[in-house]
Amino acid sequence: MEPKSKVIVICGPTASGKTALSIELAKTINGEVISADSMQIYKDMDIGTAKPTKEEMQGIQHYLLDFISPDERYSVAQYKQDAKKTIKEILQKGKIPIIVGGTGLYVDSLIYEIEYNDIELDGNYRKELEEIAEKQGLEILYKKALDIDPIAMEKISKNDKKRIMRVLEIYKATGKTKTQQELESRQKPIEYDYKVFAINWDREKLYQRINKRVDIMIEQGLIEEVKNILEKYNKFPTAMQGLGYKEVVDYLNGIYTKEEMIEKIKMETRRYAKRQLTWFRKNKQTTWLEGTNEIQNNVNIILEVSDIERRKQNNKKES
């Protein structure tokens, strides 16, 4: 039996340094990067999603960035299909695929070969849940979801409205829990040899990095970016519910002052990073890398653990 092709996965919380590490690694092993970030998929949303710039990419080919309109729906099932197709293309070029991002569902759909079926969700039921959350509080929905699927809820924060509602919607639509669906969908053999790494930081240091990143986003023009999106799209984009964007929308609507908006983005981003760390710690096959290490040290650890040789980038020849 032929050995499975290796695919490197670099995950971890927001602002942990995944982009810089993945680019250095790609240059070392002749790799190409596939994003696993559910916000960086959107066009016109660059600053608030910390999308790597052309300069930051340093000539490394990136995929699954900047290709979905903010008013379109894009599911985990679609991501998995697109990512698997891209992995195949990169391997056919004789290069090594590097999956990079902080969206746990995207990463898990690949490394565990989970089939997230595109379930037809009931719009009326969603409205009903939104009303309950607004009038009676999110905790009621959290408790309801906990009764239905305690295993899935281990990974979900009490403040994570989107994912709490998802647990309830899946159960309403299919009569099965999210956990049951995932177990049933893991019957497929895993196609590639995924080598999974995550970047760890001391919490205080990570929070400082997050706060600094938010300040930089504001300086770079996050408010203007949001204004442009609101002008460009007739329908209020779902993507605007994303972290950093909904707070700016609230500021533009007079709900927050500018200072309150900035503090709110920082606080919500810190909470999100905490949830990401909880999620990735549940993946037992993960090798943890220290964020304080020199990037080259972490590249060396990845090479050693993955048993991958150094290979020069062929960018110049190909361009």
Side-chain angles (χ1 to χ4, degrees):
M1 205 171 108
E2 269 190 46
K4 294 177 183 178
S5 299
K6 285 175 188 167
V7 176
I8 307 293
V9 179
I10 297 174
C11 48
T14 187
S16 57
K18 298 183 292 292
T19 297
L21 175 59
S22 64
I23 286 162
E24 206 47 53
L25 178 67
K27 282 156 58 181
T28 307
I29 63 173
N30 194 17
E32 293 188 340
V33 172
I34 303 170
S35 172
D37 186 301
S38 63
M39 292 303 290
Q40 290 183 357
I41 60 173
Y42 293 115
K43 297 172 188 171
D44 299 316
M45 297 176 74
D46 302 332
I47 298 168
T49 64
K51 207 177 278 174
T53 62
K54 280 275 176 275
E55 293 73 36
E56 284 172 326
M57 289 180 190
Q58 296 182 43
I60 300 296
Q61 181 74 49
H62 280 63
Y63 301 86
L64 303 193
L65 284 178
D66 211 35
F67 69 111
I68 299 288
S69 170
D71 51 4
E72 281 180 60
R73 184 176 172 272
Y74 185 75
S75 67
V76 183
Q78 285 169 292
Y79 172 78
K80 185 185 176 193
Q81 192 179 0
D82 288 340
K84 292 291 282 285
K85 183 169 164 271
T86 310
I87 289 171
K88 201 161 279 182
E89 284 169 14
I90 294 170
L91 289 169
Q92 280 167 353
K93 288 196 231 173
K95 298 193 171 202
I96 295 175
I98 305 169
I99 311 285
V100 183
T103 302
L105 279 172
Y106 281 12
V107 171
D108 284 6
S109 74
L110 295 170
I111 66 174
Y112 297 128
E113 202 67 66
I114 302 172
E115 292 297 335
Y116 288 100
N117 298 322
D118 268 337
I119 298 156
E120 274 302 314
L121 298 176
D122 180 342
N124 291 330
Y125 184 57
R126 170 162 287 195
K127 276 183 199 157
E128 193 185 308
L129 294 176
E130 289 279 5
E131 277 176 26
I132 293 169
E134 204 173 309
K135 291 175 184 170
Q136 300 173 50
L138 188 56
E139 199 176 343
I140 287 187
L141 296 185
Y142 180 83
K143 283 178 179 167
K144 196 175 173 184
L146 193 60
D147 286 342
I148 288 169
D149 193 348
I151 295 169
M153 296 309 289
E154 281 176 17
K155 283 185 174 183
I156 297 175
S157 145
K158 288 183 179 180
N159 307 311
D160 196 339
K161 185 168 88 169
K162 189 177 167 188
R163 286 171 61 211
I164 292 168
M165 282 171 56
R166 178 80 182 160
V167 168
L168 296 170
E169 287 176 309
I170 287 172
Y171 188 67
K172 173 83 162 52
T174 65
K176 292 178 181 178
T177 65
K178 182 173 178 287
T179 302
Q180 197 180 345
Q181 281 221 318
E182 287 180 8
L183 285 171
E184 287 172 9
S185 73
R186 287 186 190 199
Q187 307 307 317
K188 240 176 131 185
I190 294 164
E191 192 173 354
Y192 299 107
D193 180 9
Y194 291 103
K195 301 293 185 187
V196 186
F197 300 87
I199 304 175
N200 186 47
W201 281 90
D202 164 76
R203 189 161 288 178
E204 279 314 304
K205 286 202 175 85
L206 180 64
Y207 288 176
Q208 283 167 19
R209 286 171 67 89
I210 287 168
N211 292 344
K212 187 178 172 189
R213 176 183 272 188
V214 172
D215 288 334
I216 290 168
M217 284 174 175
I218 299 296
E219 282 167 29
Q220 287 176 336
L222 178 61
I223 296 166
E224 282 310 306
E225 181 169 273
V226 173
K227 282 181 185 170
N228 292 340
I229 294 166
L230 291 174
E231 279 169 26
K232 185 170 177 179
Y233 298 95
N234 300 324
K235 201 170 77 177
F236 187 78
T238 315
M240 292 297 262
Q241 291 303 316
L243 189 54
Y245 287 88
K246 60 178 181 286
E247 291 82 6
V248 176
V249 171
D250 286 344
Y251 158 68
L252 294 173
N253 289 333
I255 294 168
Y256 300 131
T257 64
K258 189 176 178 183
E259 288 69 31
E260 285 168 342
M261 170 201 74
I262 292 168
E263 278 315 305
K264 180 82 172 154
I265 295 174
K266 288 178 180 176
M267 183 183 74
E268 292 300 338
T269 308
R270 293 194 299 265
R271 281 181 177 166
Y272 176 55
K274 197 176 166 187
R275 293 198 298 271
Q276 286 175 301
L277 282 165
T278 303
W279 180 287
F280 291 124
R281 284 198 176 112
K282 291 195 187 300
N283 295 345
K284 298 291 177 255
Q285 76 216 65
T286 302
T287 300
W288 285 86
L289 305 167
E290 285 305 317
T292 47
N293 284 350
E294 291 285 328
I295 288 179
Q296 197 51 58
N297 287 355
N298 280 335
V299 167
N300 293 339
I301 293 167
I302 293 171
L303 294 180
E304 194 181 324
V305 172
S306 309
D307 192 24
I308 288 177
E309 62 192 38
R310 292 171 186 273
R311 300 195 282 168
K312 286 279 178 235
Q313 264 303 111
N314 295 323
N315 282 347
K316 285 174 187 164
K317 285 181 193 170
E318 286 174 14
S319 57

